[in-house]
Amino acid sequence: MPLQRIRQECPGQGTDRTHHALRQITLVILLSALGPLAPAVHAQTAQAAKTKSAARGSAPAKAVLAKPAQNRAPAAAAATEPTTAAPAATVPPASAPVVLLPSQPAGPEPVTISIDGLVDTVLQHNPSLEAARRTIDVASAAVISAGAYPNPRLELSGGRNATPTPTSAAGNVSGLGVSQTIENPVLRSARVNTALYAEQASVQSLAQTRNALVGEVRLRAYEYLLRREEAGAAAEALKLLEQTRERIQVRVTTGETGKLDLIRADAEIVNARQREATARLQIAQASIVLNRLAAGKLPANWQLDAVLAEEHELPSLEKLKQLAVRQNPEVRVLEAELQRNQSRFNEARASLLPGVDLRLSQLREPDVRQDIVGVSIQIPLFDQRRGPRAEAIAERERTQVRLEGRRADLIQQLELAWRSVEIARVRVEALSEGAVRSSEAALRVAEAAYRFGERGILEVLDAQRVLRAVRQDLLLARFQLQASLIELDTLSGRYASDK
C-alpha cells in the first residue's frame, strides 16, 4: 500500500505526514457524524486544518521531491491523501447555534406589580367573581318576594231584576266585594327564613369563589416567579458553558486537547440555549394565565415584584383546624344549605293551614241592600303535604351527611398540606445548605483538574449538569413550599373575606 511504502522509504518524514493525514481523516469522519449537534465547529476545524497543512506541508514536499523517481508515485498518492479533508473546508462557516425568538417591538417601561396588587386587580375584574356577586342580588330579590304580603281582591258585579216579586221590585242589581288572604304566620316566617338562608348560601358561595380565586392567583404568581428563576438559572448556566467553551477553544488551538471536547461543549451550549428559550416562553405563558384571570386588565408590560423564597408565618396545626372548621367557605355553604332545608321542612309542615280568606261583600237591589261577611279556610283533607315534607327531610339528611363528610375531609386535607409544607421545608434546607454547595465545590474541582490535564471535559460537563439539576430541584422545592402554604391558607378560608 502507498502508506506502507512511504513508511519504508521515508521513516521520519513519511510517518509524520501519515499521522497528520490520519488525524485529518478521523477528524472529518467525526465532524460528518456529529455535524448536526455542533455546526459551529466545522468552520473552525477547517481553518485549523488548513493552517496546520500549510505549516507542515512545505518540508515533507521538498523531501519527497528529492527522492528517486520510483518513489514519486507513492509520495504523490500520500500527498493526495490529506486532500480528503477538503470537504470540511467547504462547509459554510457558522457561529455557535442560536435559538431565535420572534422579535418584539420596544414597548413602554415595565410596570412593577406586587402580589397583593395583582390579587386586587384580579378581584376587581374577574368575570366569575362578578357573576357570583350577581347571584347575591338574585337571592336578595327572592327574600323580598318571600316577605311580600298577598294583595286584596276586589269584586264588582251588576245586573237587572226584570221580574218583580212580592219581596223585591224590578230594577238594577249591583254587587261589591273585597277579599283578603291572611297567611299563616308560621308559614310566612318559614318561607322568609328559607329565602334568607338561600341568600346566606349565596354570600358564602361568593366567599368560596373569592377564596379559590385568590389561591389560584397566588399560585400562578409563584409559578411566574418559578419560571423567571428558571430562566435566570438557564442564562447563568449558558454563560458558564460559554466560558468553558472559550477555555476549551484555547486548549484546542494550542494543541493541548482534541477537538472532540469542543464538539461536546458546543452540543451542551445548544441544549442550554434551548432551555433558556423554553424558560422565557414559559414566563410568557404564566403571564398570559394571570392576565386571563384579570380579564385582560393587566398592563401591557408588567413585572412581578416578589421573590420565590419568601417566608410566611405559619400558625399551629390545631389553630388551622379550628379556623378551617369555622371559616372555610365550603363548610359554611353547607351549613347554610342545612338551615335552608330545615326551613323548607317547616314551610311544608305549616302549609297544611296556609291561611284564612276574609271576604266582605255588599249586594244592592232596588229596595234591599245586603251586607255579607265571610271567612274561608282550606281543610287539609286530601293533600296533607306529605310529599313536600318527605322531600325536605331527605334533602336535610343529605346535606347533613355532606357537611359531616366535608368537615372530616377538611381535617385530613389540612394534615396532608401540613406534611407537604414540612417536606418542602426539609428539601429546601437540604438543597440550599448541602447539595448546592457540594455541587459547586465539585464543579470547581473538576474545572481545576481539567486545567491541569488530570480529567477530561466530560467530568466538567457532568459537574455542570449536576449543579443545574440541583439548582432546578431547589427552585421546585421552593415552589412546592409556597404551593403548600397557599393550600393551607385556602383550606383555612384565609382568602374568603376582604380583610
Side-chain angles (χ1 to χ4, degrees):
M1 296 177 63
L3 294 178
Q4 294 177 354
R5 295 178 62 184
I6 290 176
R7 290 175 182 175
Q8 293 174 1
E9 296 178 4
C10 303
Q13 299 174 354
T15 303
D16 294 339
R17 190 174 184 85
T18 302
H19 288 330
H20 176 64
L22 289 176
R23 283 197 300 269
Q24 290 193 352
I25 293 172
T26 305
L27 182 59
V28 170
I29 294 174
L30 289 175
L31 287 176
S32 61
L34 300 177
L37 294 177
V41 187
H42 287 283
Q44 300 171 356
T45 305
Q47 185 176 0
K50 186 183 295 183
T51 303
K52 289 186 178 181
S53 298
R56 298 181 181 180
S58 58
K62 295 180 180 179
V64 172
L65 290 176
K67 291 296 177 179
Q70 63 270 19
N71 294 337
R72 291 179 181 176
T80 58
E81 290 289 339
T83 60
T84 57
T90 61
V91 177
S95 59
V98 179
V99 179
L100 297 178
L101 293 176
S103 60
Q104 297 180 355
E109 291 295 329
V111 179
T112 302
I113 304 177
S114 63
I115 294 183
D116 294 335
L118 181 63
V119 169
D120 294 338
T121 304
V122 172
L123 292 179
Q124 185 178 359
H125 300 287
N126 186 265
S128 299
L129 192 63
E130 188 65 24
R133 292 191 182 102
R134 300 285 79 80
T135 304
I136 297 179
D137 298 337
V138 174
S140 300
V143 173
I144 298 175
S145 300
Y149 290 96
N151 294 320
R153 300 178 62 182
L154 178 62
E155 298 180 4
L156 295 175
S157 61
R160 181 175 177 79
N161 187 8
T163 304
T165 62
T167 58
S168 63
N172 296 328
V173 178
S174 62
L176 177 64
V178 177
S179 62
Q180 174 66 46
T181 301
I182 301 176
E183 284 188 305
N184 185 351
V186 178
L187 175 62
R188 185 175 182 278
S189 176
R191 185 175 67 247
V192 172
N193 289 336
T194 301
L196 287 174
Y197 287 130
E199 182 185 20
Q200 184 179 354
S202 299
V203 172
Q204 298 304 324
S205 296
L206 174 62
Q208 180 181 356
T209 303
R210 187 185 190 279
N211 189 55
L213 180 61
V214 174
E216 184 179 2
V217 171
R218 297 184 70 89
L219 182 63
R220 296 299 181 182
Y222 281 107
E223 182 182 359
Y224 173 89
L225 296 176
L226 171 65
R227 301 309 180 190
R228 192 173 67 181
E229 294 288 341
E230 288 178 345
E236 183 179 354
L238 177 60
K239 183 178 179 181
L240 183 61
L241 282 171
E242 289 175 347
Q243 294 175 355
T244 303
R245 186 191 180 281
E246 292 177 359
R247 291 195 293 268
I248 296 174
Q249 179 66 42
V250 173
R251 293 172 63 90
V252 170
T253 303
T254 58
E256 298 180 12
T257 185
K259 296 181 179 179
L260 184 59
D261 292 346
L262 191 61
I263 295 174
R264 290 168 176 166
D266 286 333
E268 290 291 333
I269 288 178
V270 170
N271 293 330
R273 291 184 186 276
Q274 181 182 3
R275 287 192 297 269
E276 183 187 16
T278 302
R280 296 190 181 279
L281 291 177
Q282 288 176 341
I283 292 176
Q285 286 181 340
S287 176
I288 292 172
V289 170
L290 288 171
N291 199 13
R292 180 181 63 85
L293 293 175
K297 299 300 182 179
L298 291 178
N301 189 11
W302 63 276
Q303 292 181 355
L304 195 60
D305 183 16
V307 293
L308 188 61
E310 290 182 349
E311 294 292 337
H312 299 279
E313 294 183 1
L314 188 64
S316 63
L317 181 59
E318 294 299 326
K319 185 176 180 180
L320 283 175
K321 289 180 180 180
Q322 296 175 3
L323 290 175
V325 173
R326 186 173 64 254
Q327 298 181 359
N328 185 272
E330 296 183 36
V331 174
R332 299 188 69 178
V333 166
L334 292 175
E335 290 175 350
E337 288 290 337
L338 180 62
Q339 294 173 347
R340 177 171 174 264
N341 292 326
Q342 180 63 38
S343 294
R344 288 181 60 190
F345 171 74
N346 296 334
E347 181 181 357
R349 185 174 57 183
S351 63
L352 288 173
L353 298 174
V356 176
D357 292 335
L358 181 62
R359 186 171 181 272
L360 177 61
S361 62
Q362 185 181 79
L363 180 61
R364 290 184 177 183
E365 298 179 358
D367 54 352
V368 179
R369 187 181 71 179
Q370 300 178 359
D371 295 330
I372 303 173
V373 177
V375 176
S376 65
I377 185 172
Q378 180 180 343
I379 301 176
L381 183 60
F382 301 105
D383 184 10
Q384 298 182 358
R385 310 297 291 174
R386 293 178 180 176
R389 284 187 295 171
E391 181 182 354
I393 292 174
E395 190 67 26
R396 182 185 60 186
E397 293 178 353
R398 186 178 74 90
T399 306
Q400 181 68 36
V401 172
R402 290 177 57 196
L403 177 59
E404 294 176 356
R406 183 63 187 119
R407 285 173 177 171
D409 185 53
L410 182 61
I411 298 301
Q412 300 300 320
Q413 285 183 336
L414 282 171
E415 292 182 354
L416 183 61
W418 183 271
R419 298 294 181 267
S420 299
V421 170
E422 292 180 346
I423 293 173
R425 282 181 171 174
V426 170
R427 288 189 61 196
V428 169
E429 293 177 0
L431 291 172
S432 59
E433 297 179 0
V436 173
R437 296 179 182 177
S438 300
S439 300
E440 291 174 350
L443 178 59
R444 289 193 295 268
V445 171
E447 289 177 346
Y450 177 74
R451 285 196 300 269
F452 290 106
E454 298 179 0
R455 292 290 186 271
I457 190 61
L458 289 179
E459 284 76 5
V460 177
L461 296 179
D462 288 340
Q464 291 180 356
R465 290 193 200 99
V466 171
L467 180 58
R468 287 198 303 270
V470 171
R471 287 178 175 175
Q472 179 68 19
D473 291 341
L474 177 58
L475 292 177
L476 292 177
R478 287 174 176 171
F479 173 74
Q480 186 61 40
L481 175 60
Q482 298 295 339
S484 300
L485 290 173
I486 291 172
E487 185 179 3
L488 279 177
D489 292 337
T490 304
L491 292 174
S492 60
R494 178 184 175 185
Y495 310 127
S497 61
D498 297 335
K499 299 180 181 180

